[in-house]
Amino acid sequence: MKEIKRSDQTRKNILSAGRLLIGKHGYSAVGLALILKESNVPKGSFYHYFPSKEAFGQALLDDYVTDYLTRVDTLSSGPGTAGEKLSAFWTAWLTQSGSEGIASHCLVVKLGAEIADLSDEMRTVLDQGVATLVDRIAELLIQGERDGSVVAVTDAQATAQMLYAKWLGAAVLSKLSRDELPLRRALAETKASLFPETGH
């Protein structure tokens, strides 16, 4: 039993080290040797956990998407109106109180274009993760219309997708300029378009 737990922990350590390195440098720029060095795992042991670097990348993205959606679901099931939850989600993209926001660690921003041309399996993981997130946003838009905290929209699904695209673009611009102004503008525009004048 202890051996199984140790094996699971080693796999988790490899994924954690890989997420930090790939989140900083990109997928292609990070070799297995560096990942294994950071996770203190012998090179020969890597293939016990992952048959290839691509399989590792797929597992890394699976974990990332699961973690991300779990946080969104926790927010969605918490107290407050749907409008307040949406406002909290968008605000979390920005740096706050000394801690980095969602945009700083977003692997869709970091890897989306790169892996789309490298691995169909990895692309699919991110694509399905984004689709699920858009569904969650659409659900909150519908709930917000019902509780009066969000203005009515003609097509919640389309609006959710366009909102996410806006924020993804703003995150890329912020990364390029090393300035959060595009994200702050996205937040102001999102609030102005979604929330009644009493606003959040």
Side-chain angles (χ1 to χ4, degrees), residues 36-110:
L36 296 173
K37 179 182 177 182
E38 287 296 312
S39 54
N40 294 313
V41 174
K43 186 174 183 180
S45 299
F46 176 84
Y47 296 103
H48 172 71
Y49 302 100
F50 308 100
S52 64
K53 185 186 177 187
E54 183 178 8
F56 162 76
Q58 190 175 349
L60 184 152
L61 292 176
D62 272 324
D63 273 9
Y64 171 75
V65 167
T66 299
D67 289 348
Y68 193 108
L69 292 175
T70 297
R71 293 198 301 273
V72 171
D73 288 342
T74 299
L75 172 66
S76 296
S77 62
T81 65
E84 289 167 344
K85 293 170 185 177
L86 283 168
S87 182
F89 172 67
W90 300 124
T91 302
W93 282 60
L94 284 78
T95 300
Q96 300 175 73
S97 304
S99 63
E100 291 185 310
I102 289 173
S104 302
H105 301 283
C106 182
L107 292 188
V108 181
V109 172
K110 185 69 179 181

Side-chain angles (χ1 to χ4, degrees), residues 140-154:
L140 285 172
L141 289 173
I142 293 168
Q143 291 172 22
E145 181 180 350
R146 288 175 185 155
D147 68 25
S149 62
V150 175
V151 298
V153 296
T154 304

Side-chain angles (χ1 to χ4, degrees), residues 32 57 73 81-82 95 126 129 158-160 169 179:
L32 292 182
D73 288 342
T81 65
T95 300
L126 273 190
T159 300
D179 187 331

